[in-house]
């Protein structure tokens, strides 16, 4: 009886468990996913993980999936394709200065309705009164809120008190006080001049002040003169103002006392991070930087004697004279940082808003700091919280979570105190262009290639052109996106029809038809790919070249405007790009041909173990391009302690002749030769073709020439070269096409943020990429693509025409 009861009870238990399993599965199915981009999980994100767990505990209906994705900063390609493909994340951590750019393309959802709905019922709701004005305004566009600010990295002056003390006598001799930081532009130049130290060969050993080292940019100094970059209505660029020219001239003067911009760039390329940070080691005496560096200083320089102060300002602003008379707030800084936004088309916008609202609250911030602080202390580190855009969070930073060490606390306090006086980059739909052009103007002026006025005038005209395009697009008719799609389909169908017609016109017999049928079946994947994924998109891009199209919104027909812009290129970027290609092609292609042929001649001999030598020479050509470039960046580093070539140069040429190693990747005059040198390292790939060509030359020709008394030199020029002329022609054609298509090496060297010093690494394809995928000018990028295609066809046709005069084909007259 007892056994029967046990069996019954056991059966009932199994039934109950069987009922609970589907219920649990059903509950899991009901969870709503929130996809978040731009955040990362790991040892340095313990605070974020704690916030995430707290959110999921309070909102069990949501499950957050975090993906780094390389998104959220100045790399917009992934987000753009996700929005266009209707698979965007629900929330994204986005660089705040890009918010207006994306909002102008209707890429982000306005958050005003969410804020208005929850402001009175939920104290966590982010509202303007809880934030500093600058970061809140940076996340708005045309009166609507598109992002909720998170970090706020304003800039202040950091100065190494040990360096000041060591040079106290020199500073006093110059009439400067070594116990306090500089407060004005003239003072920072004077302090910097005294603290700068040159080596016996004229190279910089210590820089007292580098205008653009740390994080200043022309923005900071221009804002300090009360300059505006965009008119109040947002339709006019005002970069070339007397105030901004004054700011740019200040930066030029700062570089002049370092030996020039090129010398400063070479010096900066030798600097390291971590424990070898130049500010910690004293190689940089002063810099203006953001609060993110405090954690690094606490980690790698806990005993560093440093202090912070507001960034130096113009002299007349400090003294309250001239146009600054009566100014209440003398010191000015600028602020950047990130925000949380909801992309257009997000599948779970409500969940994303609840996530943003919770994660930006003071409660969540406290959870974050407690968890991250505990983790850092267990690792024996000083924990320094980041400055935030929310006022009450900074209050908590200075009270509940104040870092240990008076230097670090003083640095944080300086940043917090400067937040009310921070300016922001203009909230404009051409923010990326504005950023690029201020960098370009600063470089050209510092290199003395243009005056500050000329550099700013050209930059202003470029930004104004893009502004005019944005606000004039509604004057042009919209075009249906079905048109380019049908053009591509039509082109693919026509291409296939021509192919089939040519095949039928051959009049093959039964056996030939059978063989060709199987041949076409085998090449069908390539053929379909070419027609559908190459020819079709090419024809569609031809259509786009006559439109203004930013991918995220409707295209507008503008006719030949994009080609007209190329012709009137006031910043001469296209000319510069093609001049760089002419250099790479005119110097790099012949050198590549000569190097490959020379290696093949050396390896075209019957020497024991030759197959191993051939393998060794060929191996560099199969190394992935990214790995090759990273390796060469290490080899060409200008620091003698890190760069192999710079080290050898220092031990030989510098020792004998007193000439310091050049900045291979940081000085404009050396960047293109460095690029050519990288290409020569892979000459082993071409060596295979040359070796095959040499093996194909009949030995009877050399035997006959020897009998006639020809010297080896005569045999080379009269037999080898003519016999190899088809290969020379092939490599010349492919080399020039490769030079015109150069992109990946320059992109990896520069990190995709610029085109090298003075655009020395700018190529047509690099310009095309920046136009289409950074500035979202896909119509202009398409026009560039067709211009490049036309030039490639023209050069190739010219080479084929000239080949009739010097290329020799065996058996052809």
């Amino acid at each position: 009886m007892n056994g029967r009861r046990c069996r019954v009870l056991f059966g009932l238990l199994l039934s109950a468990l069987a009922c609970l399993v589907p219920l649990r599965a059903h509950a899991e199915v009901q969870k709503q996913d929130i996809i978040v981009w731009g955040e990362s999980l790991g040892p340095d994100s313990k605070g974020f993980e704690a916030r995430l767990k707290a959110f999921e505990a309070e909102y069990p209906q949501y499950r957050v999936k975090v993906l780094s994705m390389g998104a959220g900063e100045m790399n917009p390609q992934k987000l753009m394709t996700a929005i266009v493909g209707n698979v965007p994340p629900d929330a994204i951590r986005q660089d705040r200065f890009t918010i207006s750019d994306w909002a102008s393309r209707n890429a982000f959802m306005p958050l005003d309705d969410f804020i208005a709905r929850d402001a009175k019922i939920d104290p966590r709701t982010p509202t303007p009164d809880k934030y500093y004005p600058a970061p809140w305004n940076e996340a708005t566009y045309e009166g609507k809120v598109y992002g909720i600010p998170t970090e706020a990295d304003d800039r202040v002056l950091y100065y190494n008190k040990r360096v000041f003390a060591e040079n106290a006598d020199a500073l006093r001799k110059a009439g400067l006080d070594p116990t306090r930081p500089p407060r004005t532009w003239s003072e920072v130049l004077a302090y910097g001049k005294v603290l700068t130290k040159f080596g016996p060969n004229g190279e910089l050993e210590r820089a007292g002040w580098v205008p653009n080292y740390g994080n200043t940019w022309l923005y900071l100094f221009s804002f300090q003169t009360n300059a505006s970059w965009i008119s109040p209505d947002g339709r006019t660029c005002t970069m070339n103002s007397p105030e901004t020219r004054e700011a740019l001239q200040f930066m030029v003067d700062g570089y002049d006392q370092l030996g020039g911009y090129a010398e400063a760039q070479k010096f900066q390329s030798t600097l390291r991070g971590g424990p070898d940070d130049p500010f910690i080691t004293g190689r940089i005496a002063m810099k203006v930087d953001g609060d993110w560096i405090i954690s690094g200083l606490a980690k790698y320089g806990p005993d560093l004697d440093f202090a912070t102060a507001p960034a130096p300002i113009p002299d007349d602003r400090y003294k309250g004279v001239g146009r600054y008379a009566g100014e209440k707030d003398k010191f000015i800084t600028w602020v950047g940082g990130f925000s949380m936004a909801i992309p257009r088309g997000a599948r779970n916008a409500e969940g994303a808003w609840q996530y943003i609202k919770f994660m930006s609250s003071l409660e969540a911030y406290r959870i974050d700091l407690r968890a991250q602080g505990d983790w850092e202390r267990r690792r024996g580190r000083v924990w320094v919280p980041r400055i935030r855009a929310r006022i009450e969070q900074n209050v908590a930073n200075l009270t509940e979570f104040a870092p240990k060490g008076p230097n670090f606390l003083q640095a944080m306090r300086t940043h917090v105190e400067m937040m009310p006086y921070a300016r922001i980059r203009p909230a404009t739909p051409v923010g990326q262009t504005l950023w690029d052009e201020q960098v370009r103007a600063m470089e050209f002026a510092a290199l003395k290639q243009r005056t500050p006025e000329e550099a700013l005038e050209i930059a202003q005209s470029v930004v104004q052109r893009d502004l005019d395009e944005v606000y004039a697009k509604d004057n042009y008719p919209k075009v249906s996106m079905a048109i380019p799609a049908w053009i591509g389909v039509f082109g693919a169908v026509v291409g296939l029809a021509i192919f089939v017609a040519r095949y039928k016109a051959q009049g093959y017999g039964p056996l030939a038809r059978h063989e060709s049928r199987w041949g076409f079946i085998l090449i069908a994947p390539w053929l379909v790919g070419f027609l559908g994924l190459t020819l079709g998109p090419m024809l569609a891009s031809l259509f786009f070249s006559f439109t203004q199209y930013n991918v995220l919104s409707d295209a507008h027909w503008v006719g030949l405007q994009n080609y007209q812009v190329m012709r009137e290129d006031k910043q001469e970027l296209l000319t510069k790009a093609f001049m760089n290609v002419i250099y790479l092609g005119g110097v790099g292609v012949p050198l590549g041909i000569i190097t490959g042929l020379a290696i093949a001649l050396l390896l075209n001999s019957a020497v024991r173990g030759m197959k191993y030598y051939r393998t060794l020479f060929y191996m560099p050509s199969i190394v992935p391009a990214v790995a090759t470039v990273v390796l060469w960046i290490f080899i060409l580093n200008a620091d003698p302690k890190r760069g192999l070539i710079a080290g050898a140069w220092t031990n030989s040429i510098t020792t004998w002749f007193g000439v310091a190693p050049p900045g291979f990747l940081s000085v404009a005059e050396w960047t293109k030769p460095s690029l050519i040198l990288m290409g020569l390292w892979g000459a082993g790939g071409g060596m295979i073709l040359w070796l095959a060509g040499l093996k194909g030359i009949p030995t009877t020709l050399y035997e006959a020439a020897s009998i006639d008394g020809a010297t080896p030199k005569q045999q080379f020029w009269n037999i080898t070269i003519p016999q190899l002329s088809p290969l020379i022609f092939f490599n010349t054609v492919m080399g020039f096409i490769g030079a015109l298509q150069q992109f990946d090496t320059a992109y990896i060297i520069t990190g995709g943020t610029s085109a090298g010093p003075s655009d020395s690494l700018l190529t047509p394809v690099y310009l095309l990429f920046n136009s289409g995928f950074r500035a979202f000018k896909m119509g202009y990028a398409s026009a560039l693509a067709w211009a490049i295609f036309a030039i490639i066809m023209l050069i190739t046709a010219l080479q084929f025409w000239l080949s009739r005069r010097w290329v020799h084909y065996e058996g052809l007259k």
Side-chain angles (χ1 to χ4, degrees):
M1 185 67 179
N2 290 336
R4 183 179 179 184
R5 288 180 178 177
C6 288
R7 287 194 296 271
V8 171
L9 291 173
F10 183 70
L12 291 173
L13 179 62
L14 287 178
S15 301
L17 289 174
C19 293
L20 288 175
V21 168
L23 288 174
R24 179 176 177 81
H26 180 71
E28 290 292 335
V29 171
Q30 292 303 311
K31 279 186 176 290
Q32 302 176 39
D33 288 336
I34 302 174
I35 310 299
V36 178
W37 281 14
E39 299 282 7
S40 59
L41 302 175
D44 295 324
S45 303
K46 296 298 182 181
F48 172 75
E49 292 178 14
R51 272 192 294 161
L52 202 58
K53 290 179 180 178
F55 170 76
E56 291 182 328
E58 184 168 334
Y59 295 89
Q61 68 270 34
Y62 296 127
R63 177 174 49 215
V64 180
K65 295 184 177 180
V66 177
L67 299 173
S68 176
M69 296 297 291
E73 301 187 25
M74 298 183 195
N75 182 17
Q77 293 81 24
K78 292 178 181 178
L79 180 58
M80 179 183 69
T81 52
I83 293 175
V84 173
N86 200 30
V87 286
D90 298 306
I92 185 169
R93 180 175 179 263
Q94 183 71 24
D95 196 318
R96 208 162 46 238
F97 106 98
T98 67
I99 289 287
S100 56
D101 211 342
W102 287 94
S104 68
R105 300 182 181 92
N106 193 31
F108 288 156
M109 291 177 55
L111 305 178
D112 302 82
D113 291 341
F114 287 122
I115 295 172
R117 183 194 69 185
D118 295 351
K120 295 182 179 180
I121 60 175
D122 189 348
R124 290 174 178 167
T125 305
T127 53
D129 57 295
K130 298 175 182 177
Y131 290 79
Y132 296 100
W136 184 268
N137 292 335
E138 193 174 30
T140 64
Y141 178 69
E142 293 188 343
K144 293 184 178 181
V145 179
Y146 287 92
I148 301 302
T150 52
E151 300 94 340
D153 44 25
D154 61 343
R155 278 70 170 163
V156 303
L157 176 73
Y158 287 74
Y159 61 102
N160 190 316
K161 297 173 70 175
R162 177 179 59 82
V163 176
F164 273 52
E166 291 173 351
N167 295 270
D169 292 340
L171 289 170
R172 290 192 185 97
K173 187 176 180 180
L176 304 171
D177 185 353
T179 64
R180 68 166 179 83
R183 293 167 293 194
T184 65
W185 285 0
S186 63
E187 283 189 352
V188 79
L189 291 176
Y191 275 82
K193 185 175 182 180
V194 173
L195 298 175
T196 296
K197 180 181 177 182
F198 291 92
N201 300 314
E203 75 277 10
L204 271 174
E205 289 187 354
R206 181 181 65 216
W209 160 258
V210 183
N212 206 42
Y213 180 77
N215 206 281
T216 55
W217 305 102
L218 180 57
Y219 281 119
L220 171 65
F221 307 116
S222 177
F223 292 156
Q224 290 178 334
T225 65
N226 275 346
S228 63
W229 289 47
I230 299 291
S231 63
D233 63 0
R235 293 176 176 266
T236 305
C237 179
T238 57
M239 282 180 68
N240 189 22
S241 63
E243 294 82 8
T244 303
R245 290 199 293 269
E246 178 187 359
L248 183 51
Q249 185 60 56
F250 163 66
M251 297 185 74
V252 173
D253 294 341
Y255 280 113
D256 285 347
Q257 66 183 26
L258 296 173
Y261 182 75
E263 186 65 28
Q265 288 296 101
K266 188 178 82 170
F267 171 73
Q268 287 183 225
S269 70
T270 68
L271 303 179
R272 311 183 198 182
D276 296 319
D277 183 286
F279 184 71
I280 296 175
T281 60
R283 295 189 69 191
I284 296 283
M286 300 177 290
K287 65 173 181 174
V288 172
D289 221 330
D291 71 289
W292 59 82
I293 73 164
I294 306 177
S295 294
L297 297 178
K299 179 179 179 182
Y300 298 110
D303 300 322
L304 178 66
D305 189 13
F306 77 99
T308 56
I313 56 177
D315 293 58
D316 49 358
R317 184 183 190 93
Y318 182 77
K319 296 174 183 177
V321 299
R323 66 176 180 273
Y324 296 118
E327 287 284 340
K328 179 182 178 182
D329 304 318
K330 295 179 179 180
F331 290 103
I332 292 294
T333 186
W334 76 284
V335 65
F338 288 83
S339 58
M340 293 299 297
I342 303 177
R344 183 188 78 198
R347 287 175 167 76
N348 192 357
E350 178 62 35
W353 169 246
Q354 297 299 335
Y355 168 85
I356 292 173
K357 190 168 58 171
F358 177 87
M359 298 295 273
S360 62
S361 67
L362 178 61
E363 174 190 349
Y365 188 61
R366 285 195 172 109
I367 293 171
D368 185 310
L369 294 193
R370 290 192 190 99
Q372 192 67 39
D374 290 343
W375 172 256
E376 298 294 343
R377 282 188 288 272
R378 285 200 297 270
R379 293 196 291 178
R381 296 178 181 176
V382 176
W383 168 233
V384 183
R386 289 292 310 276
I387 304 301
R388 308 294 290 188
R390 194 160 181 161
I391 298 172
E392 58 186 357
Q393 291 176 350
N394 283 337
V395 173
N397 283 346
L398 296 174
T399 54
E400 302 174 51
F401 304 100
K404 294 182 179 179
N407 293 349
F408 307 125
L409 179 59
Q410 188 265 341
M412 179 184 291
R413 191 178 300 280
T414 305
H415 280 283
V416 173
E417 290 174 349
M418 287 302 299
M419 280 299 296
Y421 312 115
R423 307 283 177 87
I424 59 170
R425 290 164 286 191
T428 173
V430 295
Q432 187 64 62
T433 302
L434 195 64
W435 173 270
D436 293 340
E437 291 309 312
Q438 65 94 17
V439 174
R440 190 170 283 112
M442 184 273 295
E443 284 195 339
F444 280 118
L447 287 166
K448 303 300 181 66
Q449 296 177 358
R450 294 170 183 156
T451 66
E453 183 173 3
E454 291 170 345
L456 288 170
E457 177 60 32
I458 293 173
Q460 178 175 286
S461 66
V462 173
V463 177
Q464 188 61 52
R465 181 195 66 200
D466 283 7
L467 271 174
D468 293 340
E469 288 182 2
V470 169
Y471 288 107
K473 68 179 181 180
D474 292 334
N475 297 331
Y476 298 99
K478 291 183 181 180
V479 293
S480 172
M481 296 306 297
I483 295 176
W486 281 111
I487 289 176
V489 172
F490 176 76
V493 171
V494 170
L496 182 61
I498 293 173
F499 180 81
V500 172
R502 292 291 301 273
Y503 167 70
K504 290 184 176 180
Q506 298 298 319
Y508 291 130
L511 180 60
R513 284 199 302 271
H514 176 76
E515 292 179 345
S516 62
R517 187 180 302 114
W518 276 104
F520 292 140
I521 290 173
L522 293 175
I523 69 168
W526 175 88
L527 187 61
V528 172
F530 172 75
L531 294 173
L533 302 178
T534 301
L535 181 60
M538 280 181 63
L539 295 175
S541 74
L542 178 62
F543 173 83
F544 284 129
S545 71
F546 299 104
T547 68
Q548 184 184 139
Y549 179 47
N550 61 30
V551 182
L552 297 172
S553 56
D554 295 326
H556 295 259
W557 183 264
V558 295
L560 296 174
Q561 185 184 87
N562 291 318
Y563 296 94
Q564 183 74 11
V565 169
M566 278 192 286
R567 191 177 68 84
E568 299 174 353
D569 186 14
K570 292 184 179 181
Q571 61 187 147
E572 300 177 351
L573 283 183
L574 195 57
T575 302
K576 181 74 172 181
F578 279 109
M579 291 300 295
N580 289 340
V581 163
I582 290 173
Y583 184 99
L584 294 174
V587 178
V589 173
L591 278 177
I593 291 174
I594 293 170
T595 304
L597 178 57
I599 296 173
L601 289 170
L602 290 173
L603 299 179
N604 187 34
S605 57
V607 178
R608 185 177 181 180
M610 182 56 68
K611 60 183 179 180
Y612 300 109
Y613 291 111
R614 292 172 180 170
T615 302
L616 289 174
F617 276 98
Y618 181 71
M619 284 182 64
S621 64
I622 63 175
V623 176
V626 174
T628 299
V629 177
V630 171
L631 173 65
W632 275 100
I633 290 174
F634 166 73
I635 293 173
L636 296 175
N637 191 295
D639 185 356
K641 297 179 181 179
R642 299 177 68 192
L644 297 183
I645 295 180
W649 185 298
T650 301
N651 294 331
S652 55
I653 297 176
T654 303
T655 302
W656 298 336
F657 303 105
V659 179
F664 293 104
L665 301 177
S666 58
V667 178
E669 290 74 15
W670 283 94
T671 51
K672 287 187 285 293
S674 300
L675 211 63
I676 291 172
L677 179 61
M678 295 181 196
L680 294 180
W681 188 63
M687 173 269 296
I688 295 296
L689 292 176
W690 294 115
L691 196 58
L694 290 171
K695 294 295 185 183
I697 300 175
T699 57
T700 55
L701 296 178
Y702 294 105
E703 293 170 355
S706 298
I707 294 172
D708 291 339
T711 64
K713 181 178 179 181
Q714 291 173 326
Q715 291 178 31
F716 176 77
W717 288 108
N718 294 288
I719 297 176
T720 305
I721 292 299
Q723 289 291 315
L724 291 178
S725 58
L727 274 178
I728 297 173
F729 171 62
F730 172 80
N731 281 288
T732 302
V733 171
M734 298 305 294
F736 274 96
I737 292 175
L740 279 163
Q741 295 178 333
Q742 179 67 250
F743 168 71
D744 52 354
T745 302
Y747 182 83
I748 296 168
I749 291 174
T750 62
T753 58
S754 68
S758 299
D759 297 318
S760 57
L761 291 176
L762 185 67
T763 62
V765 178
Y766 202 155
L767 180 59
L768 184 156
F769 176 84
N770 283 341
S771 300
F773 295 99
R774 291 188 76 222
F776 293 101
K777 297 188 292 186
M778 199 59 69
Y780 181 69
S782 298
L784 274 176
W786 278 94
I788 296 169
F789 176 74
I791 291 172
I792 288 176
M793 294 298 293
L794 181 63
I795 293 176
T796 304
L798 179 62
Q799 289 175 313
F800 269 91
W801 180 72
L802 293 174
S803 69
R804 293 180 293 179
R805 301 174 181 270
W806 62 275
V807 179
H808 169 74
Y809 293 100
E810 189 70 27
L812 296 179
K813 295 182 180 180

